[in-house]
Amino acid sequence: MLFRSKTGERKTVLLPLTADSLGKASVAVALTGPNGVNIERSYSFQVEPAAPNITRRSLDTLAAKTGSMRVSSDLVKDLIPETARVTVNAGPEAALDVPGLLLALDRYPLGCAEQTVSRALPLLYLNEVADSVGLAGENGAKERIQKAIDRLALLQDSSGSFGLWSPGSSDLWLTAYVTDFLTRAQEKSYKIRSTVVETALDRLKNSVNYTTEFQKGGESLAYALYVLARSGRAVVGDLRYYVDEKLMNFATPLAQAQLGAALAMYGDKERAERAFGVALDGIKPNPTPDVLATRTDYGSPLRDSAALLTLISETKMLPSRVPGVLQDVSRRRASNLFTSTQENAWLLLAAKSLIEESRGATLEVDGR
């Protein structure tokens, strides 16, 4: 296009542009004027789709040894070809769409403590889960985990508690959540100052020791007891008391399951199975909105179901109930167009547990 202007004149020119394809594009602009003025510029930019990303999931049950399915380009025929990607996951964890979880994993942010843990926790198991489903892992995962650890250390006060945005907090659930992540990272040999973990565990133990009686609640207490049990710091007498005398006082199935998981770690199978049984029976298909609005543990029905599936799979308690919980998690995930970082974290932990149970299964692809 050619435009002319008079000396001293200023004008705005709107240029309609049409892209032939997605990706990197460029526009060349040349300006000539009197006295040999000759200016040339090239501007690069990215051409993006006009519509947001679309995710589709389907779940098929294949009969053992004879079941089959066809995967073809018809799956993406109405999408932009160069942006489409198809992943197939086979096994008991297929209902959780592990490839979709891995592909949707957010990059590390400098957010609050809860968001930092929710994004970093799945990264602890990212590469081993990615290998299990045939995807490439994340080369920068270790660096991002270490950054999360270093950031969380700055949010801890002298008592061992963690705050959302700065040191100092009385939020026991948050402290348990951060400590859960840090102890798991420690198990993976990440660099953590010993005082950070020790003071966090001491804080949880002190909070448990000074817990007052309650009629309904206990979500933070149950999580603290679970984290202490993972580190061998819980008092088994406390766990047995809460299961024998107070199990129905705990307000959520997840809290009851955390007590069961803690007791399973100490070898008390009878009480562990009892706690898990009550938790599984307490899962409600559709919790009322007012119940969800009053929760202070960052939970959702999907997060809780995924966490419960993780706990019974990790502890190998009540294996006959796993398919039912898996169906519940799959149904809840299918009904959610978007998932939170915390939901993704526990979905990936659940998938990791299921993958470990299904080793040895094989799938034939194109005759191989």
Side-chain angles (χ1 to χ4, degrees):
M1 294 183 179
L2 181 64
F3 297 91
R4 297 181 183 277
S5 60
K6 299 176 183 178
T7 302
E9 180 184 9
R10 175 182 296 224
K11 65 169 61 175
T12 299
V13 179
L14 300 179
L15 302 177
L17 298 177
T18 302
D20 295 327
S21 61
L22 298 175
K24 189 175 181 180
S26 62
V27 173
V29 180
L31 176 67
T32 58
N35 302 321
V37 172
N38 187 10
I39 301 173
E40 295 183 357
R41 294 286 188 271
S42 180
Y43 300 95
S44 299
F45 52 91
Q46 193 77 10
V47 178
E48 301 287 356
N53 291 334
I54 295 173
T55 300
R56 295 170 177 163
R57 301 186 188 97
S58 62
L59 182 64
D60 295 314
T61 301
L62 304 183
K65 298 183 180 180
T66 59
S68 66
M69 65 179 294
R70 177 177 173 80
V71 181
S72 71
S73 58
D74 289 343
L75 291 172
V76 295
K77 64 183 179 181
D78 59 334
L79 302 177
I80 301 170
E82 56 266 41
T83 68
R85 184 168 182 176
V86 177
T87 59
V88 179
N89 188 206
E93 76 283 356
L96 304 183
D97 182 23
V98 176
L101 282 173
L102 296 174
L103 295 173
L105 210 54
D106 290 327
R107 290 294 180 255
Y108 169 77
L110 286 176
C112 69
E114 186 273 327
Q115 284 289 305
T116 299
V117 174
S118 293
R119 285 174 166 86
L121 181 58
L123 296 178
L124 289 173
Y125 308 100
L126 173 65
N127 288 337
E128 62 186 88
V129 174
D131 290 342
S132 299
V133 297
L135 291 177
E138 169 62 63
N139 291 331
K142 289 186 176 181
E143 180 182 350
R144 289 158 60 195
I145 291 169
Q146 191 61 57
K147 285 183 178 179
I149 292 169
D150 295 341
R151 167 146 179 87
L152 292 168
L154 298 176
L155 300 177
Q156 186 183 38
D157 66 15
S158 59
S159 73
S161 291
F162 293 90
L164 272 178
W165 294 101
S166 60
S169 171
S170 59
D171 189 339
L172 177 58
W173 192 95
L174 178 64
T175 297
Y177 187 44
V178 176
T179 310
D180 191 7
F181 164 69
L182 292 177
T183 52
R184 288 175 184 267
Q186 195 174 53
E187 292 167 4
K188 295 284 186 180
S189 301
Y190 280 92
K191 184 180 179 181
I192 309 174
R193 292 201 319 271
S194 59
T195 53
V196 173
V197 176
E198 289 300 317
T199 54
L201 290 169
D202 288 343
R203 175 64 178 181
L204 295 182
K205 195 171 185 67
N206 289 335
S207 298
V208 167
N209 291 339
Y210 288 99
T211 296
T212 57
E213 291 293 323
F214 60 93
Q215 294 302 313
K216 206 66 175 176
E219 297 93 332
S220 300
L221 172 63
Y223 199 2
L225 287 166
Y226 167 75
V227 175
L228 287 169
R230 289 192 80 254
S231 299
R233 303 287 191 92
V235 177
V236 69
D238 291 345
L239 295 171
R240 289 171 176 166
Y241 166 75
Y242 284 119
V243 170
D244 290 343
E245 305 295 335
K246 295 285 187 178
L247 187 58
M248 301 310 296
N249 293 57
F250 287 85
T252 65
L254 176 55
Q256 295 164 336
Q258 286 167 334
L259 293 176
L263 280 166
M265 295 176 204
Y266 283 94
D268 194 333
K269 183 179 178 181
E270 187 274 327
R271 287 184 175 86
E273 289 186 343
R274 190 197 318 162
F276 274 121
V278 171
L280 291 167
D281 292 340
I283 297 177
K284 293 181 172 53
N286 295 299
T288 58
D290 59 321
V291 171
L292 297 179
T294 58
R295 295 189 60 168
T296 59
D297 63 349
Y298 305 87
S300 69
L302 174 58
R303 192 285 306 265
D304 287 7
S305 291
L308 209 161
L309 178 58
T310 302
L311 295 176
I312 62 174
S313 298
E314 283 183 347
T315 57
K316 296 178 171 53
M317 290 284 117
L318 302 179
S320 62
R321 302 289 295 271
V322 169
V325 186
L326 181 56
Q327 285 184 347
D328 181 73
V329 174
S330 177
R331 178 183 60 80
R332 295 184 192 278
R333 177 133 202 248
S335 64
N336 283 270
L337 292 177
F338 305 99
T339 51
S340 69
T341 49
Q342 186 152 144
E343 288 167 340
N344 287 342
W346 287 100
L347 282 166
L348 192 66
L349 291 180
K352 169 184 171 292
S353 300
L354 291 171
I355 287 171
E356 291 175 351
E357 289 186 1
S358 64
R359 298 201 183 279
T362 59
L363 181 71
E364 185 177 285
V365 181
D366 290 339
R368 292 180 295 177

